[in-house]
Amino acid sequence: MLQDIRENSQGTIAKIIIGLLVVSLSIWGMDAIVGGFSGEPEVATVNGEDITEREFLRVVQMESQRRLSAMERPDPAMLNEDQIRKDVLDSLVQEQVLIQDASAQGLALTDADIDALITQMPQFQVDGQFNRDRFVASVRNLGMGVGEFREAMRKQYVVNQIRGGIMQSGLVADANASQLLRIQNQTRNFRVVQIPASAVSEGVEVTDAEIEAFYQENKNAFSQPEQIDAAYITLSLGALAEKIEISQEELEAYYAQRAGDLAREERRASHILIEDGADSEQTMVAIQERLEAGESFEDLAQELSIDTVSAKEGGDLGFAGRGVYDEAFEEALFALEEGEVSGPVQTSFGVHLIRLDDVRRSEVPPMEELEQQLRTELARERAQERYAEVRSELADSAYAADDLIGPAEELGLEIRVAEAVTREGGQAPFDHAGLVRQLFSEDVMESGYNTELIDVGDNVSVVARAREYREAQQLPLADVQDSIRSNLEDRKIREALNERAQNILASLEKGESLDSLNAGDWEQFENQARDAGGVEPQVVQTVFSLSRPGDSGSSYGIAMTRSGVAVIALDAVNEGDAEGSDADLGQLRRFMASLEGQREYAAYQQFLRSNAEVSRP
């Protein structure tokens, strides 16, 4: 495709078409043109509205990448692609149902609302200001158009409004919270005897036939996905800055220019933090009225603030400079006069009242102490303009070139090599989904062209080309038999440990003593809580899952541990109490209310889904 474009881009007809495109772009933008083509195939229809195949495949790819990144050892062969596609389609249907419900309730965002949200998102800002180029590049790298991204934001925001309203409506009785606190504070007395893996490992043997059978039954787990060895060029602001030399005179002038900023100002603040909810506005009004009536800020912080650490100190947060607090909190704090209390300030933590208690400024450090820092800052500042120029040159050069050698030599950049990149990615920079999609495109993988220049991070851009392509293949048994043997040995050891523990358990339940079983000695634990230290988590989890001991004696259980297996005897359950700080009980009540809100929202989702008319081609 790129070859056709290159060969025909000089013709008269092409120039006319390009002229029309330029006019269209200037009036409606790229997404209006792209979106003008209709007839996209759909994968489902929800109450008459289509879910397009393009949207479905994009989300499938994103979900596959997310599941891979969650693996301790990412292996594409372990992905269940059919399950992923089913899960994604179900989620898209559910999302469409919720969007339609929000629309029916009259919830909507205007284009101005969307613009305001986008311009405030930090990932689209440069030096604290919205940058259109950063925005467009970021959206394109997600595989989306600008219009598509805006529409996704519009839908998700209104859905979140309904979700937030329902989830914040959850209620819980005080008696239920007290009962849960008693259960949470419960402790247990128990005994444990450990059986190490070495006790059974000598009797474990794995045969070649078993290895062969496991290999044949699990061939999909031993396949190597298609791979590409890639050459690439990285352009980064940091690398350009390292090449810029700063003279002593320039450094001294920059130090003098920055003197005012280098004298760091720190402010000591106190705050009262409350939960952000439906009644937060009324709560804040009540707090402000009590302050105006003469109650102390410190007393109210101790009584009402959900920041329990600072509440004990009357809300005191100590001294801090800029860049420490949430942006909204910092803006409010640095706008206050000493002793002044702010109005309500909303952050991701909740709603604050902030009081400025003290201000202090440090002296400007001598230039010798800051020389390296200032030299780096000035070099990066000067490299910024150069980076934009070189990026543009590299984009044009790589597009026109048949390899990377010319662009690299022209701009003094290094060609590097990445091996075994799969469709799920590889080592940086091929952990970037947009770059990987380009690498595996027909133009790059089959026709031998360079990728486009892709922004893979802040001021970091990459262009790549395929060097060698390898189709997916089955790994031979000889390459994987050692790992299969180890896996089967571990499995057999755990089966033998479990059998040994079950036999001991059966004997104990019949009334036999541990001594008669020659299984080791009990280790006693008294009054252990759910967060007990010094006891393996698997043991504690099993202890608190066992039923209460009856009149006949202890309750018994088994827990597999890292080193073997533990046989457990639960001797007593010690009831907890609900006495504690109001803050602890309040926090538990809010947690339970949140769970109840989630349950109600799940039921609401299910109701909408059950009443939706869904058809699939």
Side-chain angles (χ1 to χ4, degrees), residues 539-557:
V539 171
V540 174
Q541 183 177 0
T542 301
V543 165
F544 279 88
S545 68
L546 292 175
S547 58
R548 293 170 178 268
D551 296 335
S552 58
S554 304
S555 295
Y556 296 99

Side-chain angles (χ1 to χ4, degrees), residues 213-284:
F214 185 86
Y215 175 77
Q216 294 298 333
E217 291 170 4
N218 299 274
K219 277 192 171 182
N220 288 340
F222 304 110
S223 62
Q224 178 177 284
E226 58 181 332
Q227 299 176 341
I228 291 179
D229 292 344
Y232 67 98
I233 296 173
T234 299
L235 172 66
S236 71
L237 178 67
L240 289 178
E242 289 176 2
K243 297 178 181 180
I244 294 178
E245 295 185 2
I246 304 297
S247 68
Q248 191 64 25
E249 292 77 11
E250 291 172 324
L251 189 63
E252 291 173 358
Y254 186 64
Y255 173 75
Q257 175 187 333
R258 290 286 315 281
D261 298 331
L262 297 172
R264 179 178 173 84
E265 178 183 298
E266 293 184 318
R267 295 191 163 209
R268 184 170 189 170
S270 297
H271 79 144
I272 300 171
L273 175 64
I274 66 168
E275 196 85 28
D276 183 12
D279 59 348
S280 59
E281 184 175 347
Q282 294 90 333
T283 302
M284 270 299 174

Side-chain angles (χ1 to χ4, degrees), residues 110-121 125 150 153:
T110 66
D111 288 342
D113 294 331
I114 296 294
D115 289 339
L117 287 172
I118 290 174
T119 55
Q120 292 171 15
M121 297 174 73
Q125 296 180 354
R150 290 171 61 87
M153 281 194 63

Side-chain angles (χ1 to χ4, degrees), residues 61-86:
Q61 184 175 22
M62 292 171 63
E63 178 61 14
S64 299
Q65 187 65 38
R66 186 192 68 78
R67 296 191 185 189
L68 271 176
S69 63
M71 295 180 183
E72 185 175 349
R73 295 181 179 178
D75 183 357
M78 301 301 292
L79 291 176
N80 186 333
E81 294 184 4
D82 290 339
Q83 187 63 47
I84 291 174
R85 295 171 74 89
K86 178 182 181 300

Side-chain angles (χ1 to χ4, degrees), residues 170-206:
L171 298 174
V172 62
D174 289 347
N176 292 343
S178 297
Q179 176 62 16
L180 183 58
L181 189 58
R182 280 192 289 270
I183 294 173
Q184 182 176 302
N185 291 336
Q186 186 184 90
T187 63
R188 298 195 169 196
N189 303 344
F190 57 93
R191 291 166 287 146
V192 177
V193 61
Q194 299 278 358
I195 303 173
S198 58
V200 299
S201 58
E202 290 184 3
V204 169
E205 181 182 357
V206 176

Side-chain angles (χ1 to χ4, degrees), residues 237 240-246 254 374-384:
L237 178 67
L240 289 178
E242 289 176 2
K243 297 178 181 180
I244 294 178
E245 295 185 2
I246 304 297
Y254 186 64
L374 295 176
R375 193 179 294 277
T376 300
E377 286 181 10
L378 185 54
R380 288 183 67 87
E381 186 178 299
R382 293 188 177 177
Q384 188 73 55

Side-chain angles (χ1 to χ4, degrees), residues 124 130-142 144-146 455:
F124 303 143
F130 174 72
N131 184 283
R132 178 173 177 78
D133 291 339
R134 169 73 63 84
F135 166 63
V136 173
S138 299
V139 170
R140 298 298 187 200
N141 287 340
L142 289 173
M144 303 174 72
V146 172
D455 295 323

Side-chain angles (χ1 to χ4, degrees), residues 17 21 30 53 161 172 181 196 284 288 366 379 439 485 538 593:
I17 294 173
L21 284 173
M30 174 64 78
E53 184 179 49
Q161 291 291 95
V172 62
L181 189 58
M284 270 299 174
Q288 290 172 313
L439 186 64
R485 184 184 301 277
Q538 301 93 329

